[in-house]
């Protein structure tokens, strides 16, 4: 592949016509594209009052929502465009302008979903951000919109989808930092608005039993891993769990063999034990083996990019993504002359090698959320679906297929739960004394609030 121009910041260009059409299309898109046929909202009174206060000029508003699925932006749009507006009317409130939100979206989305998606997101009020570097244009835009924008600002403090309806990943400090910046800006300007941070939980559940579709997807994944599906097609959760464990072990063994024998990573004997491949993935050996394999795979790419391992696996994936983008979309000083044909050919060769190296990171990115305990702790159909879809993503990455369109396992219900706002102004004195500690404390509080909004799925 050839190098491309640098990735430019995509600023918000909110377009009322695009917003109006999107409002009309949203219910059909949720039903037919996402399979979401019902939306339940709890705690709507908190959001109605927060929006009333925002539009009355009494507060600024930051909505911090959980991000378990790629469908979350659509669920949030439904919450603001439909449910909030309806709830306001029921209380005799007519919001003007009609409720919507502005937001940040990952700059990588237009790269894998198409430029049209970047166009749509910006026309709906979104601004792009490169998550793994200090993206000053994005941060300045977010700060300006939080302080002066006509609409609430929304972001996902987890930073990316985690694939788990019932497990919260560690939050990034960006939401807390933006909230404190806004509170400080308001105070410094002598303005009297509050800075409200509203935690919003998102979960998805099946409306009808989906065990048949879950077992069918399990069969497809077993076939992809070279395993013979169970001819009995037993839908008992205990039997499905045994097969899921066996599948996880089989995929891990094949990946270990690939990296040990073909890529020549130094896997120790402890990371590749001989024995029965069907042993349970929740035993202590599975987690360390998986972590060790992913660590070594990332080290291979880091060495190629001249980076040192630092942070969690997710942090390292982000840094590698940014390093790859810097190679694929290099910024050339305007004063430099055009490259010679030979120099351009070498740059294109580097781009080819970079894309190949990033494949290893993408596989780790897909597999990093898989564990041996999530389903075992609570073998519900929702947790089975979460894990199988993550394994499906991983197999798609390995086989070179697109993972954009996941299998539909059944009609679903979105559950949106809204907590009472965190008044950030009350913490501003702590922030001025010790910014890092105050940001961490607010992040921890937000994490606790979002964790409490998670409702365990029912068992069969």
């Amino acid at each position: 592949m050839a190098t491309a121009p640098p990735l430019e910041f995509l600023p918000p260009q909110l377009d009322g016509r695009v917003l109006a059409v999107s409002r009309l299309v949203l219910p059909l898109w949720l039903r037919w594209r996402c399979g979401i046929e019902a939306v339940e909202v709890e705690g709507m009174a908190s959001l109605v009052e927060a929006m009333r206060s925002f539009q009355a000029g009494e507060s600024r508003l930051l909505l911090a929502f959980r991000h378990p699925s790629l469908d979350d932006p659509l669920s949030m749009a439904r919450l603001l465009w439909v449910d909030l507006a309806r709830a306001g009317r029921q209380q005799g409130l007519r919001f003007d302008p009609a409720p919507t939100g502005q937001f940040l979206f990952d700059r990588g989305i237009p790269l894998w979903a198409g430029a049209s998606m970047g166009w749509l997101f910006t026309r709906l009020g979104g601004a792009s951000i490169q998550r793994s570097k200090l993206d000053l244009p994005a941060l300045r835009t977010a700060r300006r919109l939080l302080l002066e924008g006509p609409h609430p600002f929304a972001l996902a403090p987890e930073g990316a989808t985690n694939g788990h309806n019932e497990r919260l990943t560690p939050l990034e400090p960006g939401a807390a930092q933006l909230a404190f910046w806004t509170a400080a800006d308001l105070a410094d300007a002598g303005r009297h608005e509050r800075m409200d941070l509203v935690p919003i939980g998102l979960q998805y559940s099946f409306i009808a039993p989906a065990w048949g579709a879950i077992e069918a997807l399990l069969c497809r994944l077993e076939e992809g891993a070279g395993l013979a599906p169970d001819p009995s097609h037993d839908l008992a959760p205990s039997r499905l769990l045994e097969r899921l464990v066996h599948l996880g072990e089989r995929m891990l063994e094949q990946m270990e063999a690939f990296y040990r024998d073909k890529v020549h990573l130094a896997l120790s004997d402890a990371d590749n034990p001989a024995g029965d491949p069907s042993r349970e993935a929740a035993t202590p050996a599975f987690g360390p083996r998986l972590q060790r394999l992913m660590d070594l795979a990332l080290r291979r790419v880091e060495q190629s990019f001249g980076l040192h391992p630092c942070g969690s696996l997710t942090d390292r994936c982000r840094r590698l993504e940014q390093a790859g983008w810097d190679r694929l979309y290099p910024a050339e000083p305007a004063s430099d002359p055009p490259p010679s044909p030979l120099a351009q050919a070498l740059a294109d060769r580097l781009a080819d090698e970079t894309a190949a190296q990033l494949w290893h990171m993408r596989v780790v990115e897909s597999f990093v959320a898989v564990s041996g305990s999530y389903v075992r702790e609570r073998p519900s159909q929702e947790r089975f679906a979460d894990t199988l879809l993550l394994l499906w993503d991983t197999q798609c990455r390995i086989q070179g297929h697109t993972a954009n369109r996941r299998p539909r396992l059944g009609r679903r219900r979105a559950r949106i739960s809204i907590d009472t706002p965190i008044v950030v102004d009350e913490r501003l004195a702590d922030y001025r004394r010790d910014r890092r500690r105050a940001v961490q404390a607010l992040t921890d509080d937000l994490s606790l609030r979002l964790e409490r909004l998670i409702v365990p799925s029912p068992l069969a």
Side-chain angles (χ1 to χ4, degrees):
M1 65 181 296
T3 57
L7 292 177
E8 296 181 347
F9 169 64
L10 303 179
Q13 303 178 56
L14 185 59
D15 188 320
R17 295 165 298 179
V18 175
L19 185 57
V21 172
S22 299
R23 290 180 193 273
L24 294 175
V25 171
L26 177 65
L28 293 175
W29 192 261
L30 275 174
R31 178 182 292 268
W32 298 113
R33 178 64 180 85
C34 305
I36 297 174
E37 299 193 4
V39 178
E40 297 178 353
V41 183
E42 297 185 10
M44 177 59 81
S46 293
L47 187 57
V48 170
E49 172 56 24
M51 178 61 80
R52 184 209 64 77
S53 176
F54 174 81
Q55 292 201 341
E58 299 169 2
S59 67
R60 304 303 297 173
L61 186 55
L62 175 58
L63 309 177
F65 62 92
R66 276 218 59 217
H67 202 4
S69 165
L70 291 175
D71 299 324
D72 301 334
L74 295 172
S75 297
M76 286 295 295
R78 159 66 192 250
L79 172 66
L80 297 177
W81 296 351
V82 179
D83 299 295
L84 177 57
R86 179 189 299 139
R89 289 193 299 270
Q90 291 172 350
Q91 296 187 26
L93 299 172
R94 180 168 291 278
F95 296 121
D96 185 20
T100 189
Q102 296 194 258
F103 54 94
L104 293 174
F105 66 91
D106 179 16
R107 184 60 180 84
I109 290 176
L111 300 181
W112 58 262
S116 60
M117 192 60 65
W119 181 92
L120 177 62
F121 279 4
T122 57
R123 267 64 182 182
L124 292 176
S128 70
I129 185 169
Q130 296 188 42
R131 301 172 301 176
S132 52
K133 74 172 189 177
L134 185 62
D135 192 338
L136 292 178
L139 294 176
R140 292 191 189 106
T141 298
R143 189 170 180 174
R144 174 178 56 81
L145 290 174
L146 264 169
L147 187 64
E148 303 288 353
H151 305 290
F153 197 80
L155 54 76
E158 288 171 284
T161 57
N162 75 348
H164 290 83
N165 272 288
E166 300 177 30
R167 179 168 290 171
L168 185 72
T169 50
L171 303 190
E172 298 182 354
Q177 183 62 75
L178 283 170
F180 274 124
W181 278 342
T182 306
D185 289 343
L186 291 168
D188 292 344
R191 292 168 53 175
H192 301 293
E193 298 104 310
R194 297 188 316 274
M195 179 61 238
D196 287 345
L197 174 60
V198 178
I200 299 178
L202 289 173
Q203 282 183 254
Y204 303 90
S205 60
F206 293 107
I207 294 175
W211 292 109
I214 288 171
E215 197 272 340
L217 178 56
L218 180 56
C219 286
R220 287 175 58 186
L221 294 173
E222 288 172 328
E223 181 180 358
L227 295 172
D230 183 356
S232 71
H233 298 288
D234 187 350
L235 300 183
S238 58
R239 176 55 185 154
L240 293 177
L241 179 59
E242 291 177 7
R243 293 170 60 187
L244 177 61
V245 166
H246 194 182
L247 172 64
E249 282 280 345
R250 177 64 171 172
M251 290 179 62
L252 180 56
E253 288 170 359
Q254 292 183 346
M255 292 172 68
E256 284 176 335
F258 169 74
Y259 279 104
R260 182 186 63 246
D261 301 334
K262 305 301 182 183
V263 184
H264 306 295
L265 295 182
L267 291 173
S268 67
D269 292 339
D271 297 318
N272 186 43
D276 182 3
S278 66
R279 66 182 181 80
E280 296 183 351
T283 59
F286 181 83
R289 284 172 61 196
L290 179 59
Q291 293 294 312
R292 173 70 171 167
L293 177 67
M294 292 190 293
D295 172 68
L296 290 175
L298 291 183
R299 283 178 184 271
R300 183 186 190 279
V301 188
E302 287 162 342
Q303 183 177 16
S304 174
F305 287 3
L307 298 175
H308 295 288
C310 181
S312 66
L313 292 174
T314 300
D315 294 336
R316 292 163 65 186
C317 285
R318 296 269 181 86
R319 292 178 65 228
L320 287 170
E321 178 182 64
Q322 187 62 52
W325 285 356
D326 291 342
R327 289 184 174 190
L328 296 171
Y329 310 96
E332 296 292 343
S335 59
D336 283 5
S340 67
L342 179 59
Q344 184 61 54
L346 289 171
D348 293 344
R349 176 66 64 184
L350 179 63
D352 285 334
E353 294 185 1
T354 297
Q357 292 291 335
L358 285 177
W359 176 85
H360 298 277
M361 184 274 289
R362 295 300 182 196
V363 171
V364 171
E365 196 175 45
S366 297
F367 213 40
V368 71
V370 176
S371 72
S373 61
Y374 181 63
V375 177
R376 184 177 298 280
E377 290 169 356
R378 190 172 186 84
S380 65
Q381 58 183 1
E382 284 74 19
R383 292 200 178 198
F384 268 105
D386 288 346
T387 303
L388 287 173
L389 289 172
L390 287 171
L391 294 178
W392 185 84
D393 289 345
T394 304
Q395 287 200 9
C396 282
R397 296 281 192 194
I398 294 173
Q399 296 174 23
H401 302 155
T402 177
N404 295 351
R405 289 206 164 193
R406 284 176 152 194
R408 291 265 297 272
L409 300 180
R411 297 178 301 129
R412 294 185 298 155
R413 176 189 299 107
R415 179 182 180 274
I416 306 175
S417 46
I418 303 159
D419 203 347
T420 56
I422 301 172
V423 181
V424 180
D425 309 66
E426 297 173 352
R427 304 164 181 252
L428 190 54
D430 294 337
Y431 176 72
R432 294 192 189 279
R433 281 193 298 268
D434 189 332
R435 296 189 175 192
R436 180 174 295 181
R437 180 173 296 180
V439 167
Q440 187 60 55
L442 180 53
T443 301
D444 291 343
D445 190 7
L446 178 60
S447 178
L448 181 61
R449 299 276 200 107
L450 291 173
E451 189 77 46
R452 288 174 176 170
L453 294 176
I454 296 175
V455 175
S457 53
L459 298 175

